[in-house]
Amino acid sequence: MAEPDRQVPHRPGAVSLFFVAKAGVFALGFWIWLLVLAVRGSEATGVHLIAAAGAITTTLVGVVLGARMALQNNAAARHAELKRLLVDISWNAFAAAGNADESGKVVPFPTSSQDGDRPANRGPGERVPAFDRGERNRGDRRR
């Protein structure tokens, strides 16, 4: 069965990519400026220091923004997959409930017992159903 065409989930894109590209352009500019200053062969001055600091800083900013964009893209893809799985699970449970007349395919939801058939003595490893936990006296928890 082919997967139906689904709407593409939100993924960080244009704005994040803009800032990554902007940092890359600035880094390229600073590296070129530093290269031109180094090729001229003059003594290192404050201008060289500014060009080197700008080149290093903008390169690091570009790398950090690129890594952040990749992480956001990955998280958006995982989130979309999780949402798709939850929808598939709930749809399968709904469809299986319609086939409840066939035995062995559907696990019924637990219901609380109206008779109070709660066992008095439980062993240390015996599990307590969720509905029995709620029937406990609330004052017992303070001990």
Side-chain angles (χ1 to χ4, degrees):
M1 182 172 167
E3 286 288 320
D5 291 333
R6 296 189 179 172
Q7 183 180 6
V8 177
H10 167 72
R11 294 186 186 208
V15 174
S16 296
L17 186 61
F18 169 76
F19 285 112
V20 171
K22 186 176 179 179
V25 167
F26 274 93
L28 182 65
F30 275 114
W31 283 110
I32 290 172
W33 185 30
L34 184 61
L35 181 66
V36 167
L37 290 175
V39 169
R40 282 189 179 172
S42 62
E43 286 189 27
T45 60
V47 175
H48 290 82
L49 184 63
I50 291 172
I56 292 170
T57 303
T58 54
T59 301
L60 289 176
V61 166
V63 168
V64 168
L65 288 176
R68 180 177 179 260
M69 186 179 78
L71 289 173
Q72 284 179 340
N73 197 8
N74 189 13
R78 283 193 326 255
H79 180 72
E81 180 66 19
L82 181 64
K83 283 182 10 180
R84 188 188 67 76
L85 285 174
L86 286 173
V87 168
D88 288 345
I89 288 170
S90 64
W91 177 253
N92 288 336
F94 176 74
N99 299 331
D101 53 339
E102 299 174 16
S103 62
K105 292 197 176 214
V106 178
V107 177
F109 286 106
T111 58
S112 64
S113 61
Q114 302 296 334
D115 303 341
D117 58 347
R118 183 175 167 192
N121 298 326
R122 286 194 180 98
E126 237 180 296
R127 298 182 73 187
V128 180
F131 293 110
D132 287 348
R133 287 187 209 134
E135 294 173 5
R136 232 184 331 177
N137 186 357
R138 302 287 182 200
D140 292 346
R141 292 185 187 176
R142 294 186 191 145
R143 286 190 237 171

